[in-house]
Amino acid sequence: MIRQLCIRLLNGLSLIVTSVAAGTCWLAGLSGRSALMYPFWTHVFASLPGYPGMMLRRAFYRWMLQSCASGVAIQYGALITQRRASLGPGVYVGPYALVGWADIGANTLVGSRASLLSGG
C-alpha cells in the first residue's frame, strides 16, 4: 500500500519535473533551436541512475516522443535520439541502448548497448 503510494507520488513528481524540460524544448522549437534542446535533455536524463532516473526518463519521453506508453522501462544511459520514435506498452530499453526513429511494439526487449537505427 505505502509502496504503491510512493510510486504514484514519484510518477507525479516526475511528470512535473520533466514538464520544465519539455517546455524548454517546445520554446526552443519556436525559435528554431529545437535541435539543440532535445539532445541536451536526453543526455541529462540518461545520466540519472537508479529507479528515480528511470521514472524521470519515462516521464520525459512520454512528453516528447510521438507515443510512449506509461509502462516502459528505459534504463541508465539509454538514449532515444529521434522524437518520432514510438514505444508501446511493456517495452524495455536496456542500458546504453540507442534508439532512432523506430516503432517499437508492445512487450519488446531492446538489449544493452543495442542500436536501432533510423530509416528503412
Short mmCIF file of all heavy atoms in Angstrom, two decimals, residues 41-66:
data_model
loop_
_atom_site.label_atom_id
_atom_site.label_comp_id
_atom_site.label_asym_id
_atom_site.label_seq_id
_atom_site.Cartn_x
_atom_site.Cartn_y
_atom_site.Cartn_z
N TRP A 41 18.53 17.47 -23.15
CA TRP A 41 17.73 16.87 -22.09
C TRP A 41 17.78 15.33 -22.12
O TRP A 41 17.73 14.70 -21.08
CB TRP A 41 16.28 17.36 -22.16
CG TRP A 41 16.15 18.75 -21.67
CD1 TRP A 41 15.83 19.85 -22.39
CD2 TRP A 41 16.35 19.21 -20.32
NE1 TRP A 41 15.83 20.97 -21.60
CE2 TRP A 41 16.14 20.60 -20.31
CE3 TRP A 41 16.69 18.59 -19.14
CZ2 TRP A 41 16.25 21.37 -19.17
CZ3 TRP A 41 16.80 19.36 -17.99
CH2 TRP A 41 16.59 20.74 -18.00
N THR A 42 17.91 14.73 -23.31
CA THR A 42 18.03 13.27 -23.35
C THR A 42 19.30 12.82 -22.64
O THR A 42 19.27 11.82 -21.91
CB THR A 42 18.02 12.72 -24.79
OG1 THR A 42 19.06 13.31 -25.53
CG2 THR A 42 16.69 12.98 -25.46
N HIS A 43 20.38 13.56 -22.81
CA HIS A 43 21.63 13.20 -22.14
C HIS A 43 21.55 13.45 -20.64
O HIS A 43 22.10 12.69 -19.84
CB HIS A 43 22.81 13.95 -22.76
CG HIS A 43 23.25 13.37 -24.06
ND1 HIS A 43 22.62 13.67 -25.23
CD2 HIS A 43 24.22 12.50 -24.37
CE1 HIS A 43 23.20 13.02 -26.22
NE2 HIS A 43 24.17 12.29 -25.72
N VAL A 44 20.88 14.52 -20.24
CA VAL A 44 20.72 14.79 -18.80
C VAL A 44 19.95 13.65 -18.14
O VAL A 44 20.39 13.10 -17.11
CB VAL A 44 19.99 16.14 -18.58
CG1 VAL A 44 19.53 16.28 -17.14
CG2 VAL A 44 20.87 17.30 -18.97
N PHE A 45 18.81 13.26 -18.70
CA PHE A 45 18.00 12.22 -18.07
C PHE A 45 18.63 10.84 -18.21
O PHE A 45 18.42 9.99 -17.36
CB PHE A 45 16.58 12.25 -18.62
CG PHE A 45 15.80 13.45 -18.18
CD1 PHE A 45 15.34 14.37 -19.10
CD2 PHE A 45 15.55 13.68 -16.84
CE1 PHE A 45 14.63 15.50 -18.69
CE2 PHE A 45 14.86 14.81 -16.41
CZ PHE A 45 14.40 15.72 -17.34
N ALA A 46 19.42 10.62 -19.26
CA ALA A 46 20.09 9.32 -19.42
C ALA A 46 21.15 9.11 -18.34
O ALA A 46 21.47 7.98 -17.99
CB ALA A 46 20.74 9.22 -20.79
N SER A 47 21.68 10.20 -17.79
CA SER A 47 22.76 10.09 -16.81
C SER A 47 22.28 9.98 -15.37
O SER A 47 23.09 9.89 -14.46
CB SER A 47 23.70 11.28 -16.95
OG SER A 47 23.03 12.47 -16.59
N LEU A 48 20.98 9.95 -15.15
CA LEU A 48 20.44 9.84 -13.79
C LEU A 48 20.27 8.36 -13.43
O LEU A 48 19.55 7.64 -14.11
CB LEU A 48 19.11 10.58 -13.68
CG LEU A 48 19.17 12.07 -14.01
CD1 LEU A 48 17.78 12.66 -14.01
CD2 LEU A 48 20.06 12.79 -13.01
N PRO A 49 20.91 7.91 -12.36
CA PRO A 49 20.89 6.48 -12.04
C PRO A 49 19.67 6.05 -11.24
O PRO A 49 18.93 6.88 -10.69
CB PRO A 49 22.16 6.31 -11.20
CG PRO A 49 22.32 7.62 -10.51
CD PRO A 49 21.81 8.65 -11.49
N GLY A 50 19.49 4.74 -11.16
CA GLY A 50 18.51 4.13 -10.29
C GLY A 50 17.07 4.28 -10.73
O GLY A 50 16.76 4.70 -11.84
N TYR A 51 16.20 3.90 -9.80
CA TYR A 51 14.76 3.93 -10.07
C TYR A 51 14.25 5.34 -10.32
O TYR A 51 13.47 5.55 -11.26
CB TYR A 51 14.02 3.25 -8.93
CG TYR A 51 12.56 3.05 -9.21
CD1 TYR A 51 12.13 2.08 -10.11
CD2 TYR A 51 11.60 3.83 -8.59
CE1 TYR A 51 10.79 1.89 -10.38
CE2 TYR A 51 10.25 3.66 -8.85
CZ TYR A 51 9.86 2.68 -9.75
OH TYR A 51 8.54 2.50 -10.02
N PRO A 52 14.68 6.35 -9.54
CA PRO A 52 14.21 7.71 -9.84
C PRO A 52 14.62 8.17 -11.24
O PRO A 52 13.86 8.84 -11.93
CB PRO A 52 14.87 8.57 -8.76
CG PRO A 52 15.11 7.64 -7.64
CD PRO A 52 15.42 6.32 -8.27
N GLY A 53 15.81 7.79 -11.69
CA GLY A 53 16.24 8.14 -13.04
C GLY A 53 15.37 7.50 -14.09
O GLY A 53 15.02 8.12 -15.09
N MET A 54 15.00 6.22 -13.87
CA MET A 54 14.12 5.54 -14.82
C MET A 54 12.76 6.21 -14.88
O MET A 54 12.18 6.37 -15.96
CB MET A 54 13.95 4.07 -14.45
CG MET A 54 13.19 3.30 -15.52
SD MET A 54 12.94 1.58 -15.13
CE MET A 54 11.75 1.68 -13.82
N MET A 55 12.25 6.64 -13.74
CA MET A 55 10.96 7.32 -13.72
C MET A 55 11.03 8.66 -14.45
O MET A 55 10.12 9.02 -15.19
CB MET A 55 10.50 7.55 -12.27
CG MET A 55 10.33 6.29 -11.47
SD MET A 55 9.02 5.26 -12.08
CE MET A 55 7.62 6.09 -11.41
N LEU A 56 12.13 9.39 -14.28
CA LEU A 56 12.28 10.67 -14.98
C LEU A 56 12.45 10.48 -16.48
O LEU A 56 11.89 11.25 -17.27
CB LEU A 56 13.47 11.44 -14.40
CG LEU A 56 13.24 12.04 -13.01
CD1 LEU A 56 14.55 12.49 -12.40
CD2 LEU A 56 12.25 13.17 -13.08
N ARG A 57 13.21 9.46 -16.88
CA ARG A 57 13.34 9.18 -18.32
C ARG A 57 11.99 8.84 -18.93
O ARG A 57 11.62 9.33 -20.00
CB ARG A 57 14.33 8.03 -18.55
CG ARG A 57 15.78 8.45 -18.44
CD ARG A 57 16.73 7.33 -18.79
NE ARG A 57 16.74 6.27 -17.80
CZ ARG A 57 17.41 6.30 -16.66
NH1 ARG A 57 18.13 7.37 -16.35
NH2 ARG A 57 17.39 5.28 -15.82
N ARG A 58 11.24 7.99 -18.25
CA ARG A 58 9.91 7.60 -18.75
C ARG A 58 9.01 8.83 -18.88
O ARG A 58 8.36 9.02 -19.91
CB ARG A 58 9.27 6.60 -17.80
CG ARG A 58 7.86 6.21 -18.21
CD ARG A 58 7.17 5.39 -17.15
NE ARG A 58 7.91 4.20 -16.85
CZ ARG A 58 7.73 3.47 -15.74
NH1 ARG A 58 6.84 3.83 -14.85
NH2 ARG A 58 8.42 2.39 -15.53
N ALA A 59 9.00 9.67 -17.87
CA ALA A 59 8.14 10.86 -17.91
C ALA A 59 8.58 11.82 -19.02
O ALA A 59 7.74 12.36 -19.74
CB ALA A 59 8.17 11.57 -16.55
N PHE A 60 9.88 12.02 -19.17
CA PHE A 60 10.38 12.91 -20.21
C PHE A 60 9.99 12.40 -21.60
O PHE A 60 9.50 13.16 -22.44
CB PHE A 60 11.90 13.07 -20.11
CG PHE A 60 12.49 13.88 -21.23
CD1 PHE A 60 12.27 15.24 -21.30
CD2 PHE A 60 13.27 13.28 -22.20
CE1 PHE A 60 12.82 15.99 -22.33
CE2 PHE A 60 13.81 14.01 -23.23
CZ PHE A 60 13.59 15.38 -23.29
N TYR A 61 10.21 11.12 -21.84
CA TYR A 61 9.89 10.58 -23.16
C TYR A 61 8.38 10.53 -23.41
O TYR A 61 7.93 10.61 -24.54
CB TYR A 61 10.54 9.22 -23.36
CG TYR A 61 12.03 9.33 -23.58
CD1 TYR A 61 12.93 8.65 -22.77
CD2 TYR A 61 12.55 10.11 -24.59
CE1 TYR A 61 14.29 8.75 -22.97
CE2 TYR A 61 13.91 10.23 -24.80
CZ TYR A 61 14.78 9.54 -23.99
OH TYR A 61 16.12 9.65 -24.19
N ARG A 62 7.59 10.43 -22.35
CA ARG A 62 6.13 10.50 -22.54
C ARG A 62 5.73 11.89 -23.02
O ARG A 62 4.78 12.04 -23.78
CB ARG A 62 5.41 10.14 -21.25
CG ARG A 62 5.51 8.63 -20.96
CD ARG A 62 4.59 8.20 -19.89
NE ARG A 62 3.22 8.25 -20.40
CZ ARG A 62 2.17 8.24 -19.62
NH1 ARG A 62 2.30 8.18 -18.31
NH2 ARG A 62 0.96 8.28 -20.13
N TRP A 63 6.43 12.92 -22.58
CA TRP A 63 6.17 14.28 -23.04
C TRP A 63 6.64 14.47 -24.47
O TRP A 63 6.01 15.15 -25.26
CB TRP A 63 6.90 15.32 -22.18
CG TRP A 63 6.29 15.67 -20.88
CD1 TRP A 63 6.77 15.32 -19.66
CD2 TRP A 63 5.13 16.46 -20.64
NE1 TRP A 63 5.97 15.84 -18.68
CE2 TRP A 63 4.96 16.55 -19.26
CE3 TRP A 63 4.22 17.10 -21.48
CZ2 TRP A 63 3.91 17.25 -18.69
CZ3 TRP A 63 3.17 17.79 -20.91
CH2 TRP A 63 3.04 17.87 -19.51
N MET A 64 7.79 13.88 -24.81
CA MET A 64 8.50 14.28 -26.02
C MET A 64 8.29 13.38 -27.24
O MET A 64 8.35 13.88 -28.35
CB MET A 64 10.01 14.37 -25.73
CG MET A 64 10.38 15.39 -24.69
SD MET A 64 9.77 17.06 -25.00
CE MET A 64 10.55 17.45 -26.53
N LEU A 65 8.11 12.09 -27.04
CA LEU A 65 8.05 11.19 -28.19
C LEU A 65 6.68 11.23 -28.87
O LEU A 65 5.69 11.66 -28.28
CB LEU A 65 8.36 9.76 -27.77
CG LEU A 65 9.76 9.50 -27.26
CD1 LEU A 65 9.93 8.03 -26.92
CD2 LEU A 65 10.81 9.94 -28.25
N GLN A 66 6.66 10.71 -30.09
CA GLN A 66 5.40 10.62 -30.83
C GLN A 66 4.38 9.83 -30.01
O GLN A 66 3.24 10.23 -29.90
CB GLN A 66 5.65 9.96 -32.17
CG GLN A 66 4.42 9.90 -33.05
CD GLN A 66 4.76 9.36 -34.43
OE1 GLN A 66 5.93 9.22 -34.80
NE2 GLN A 66 3.75 9.06 -35.18
#
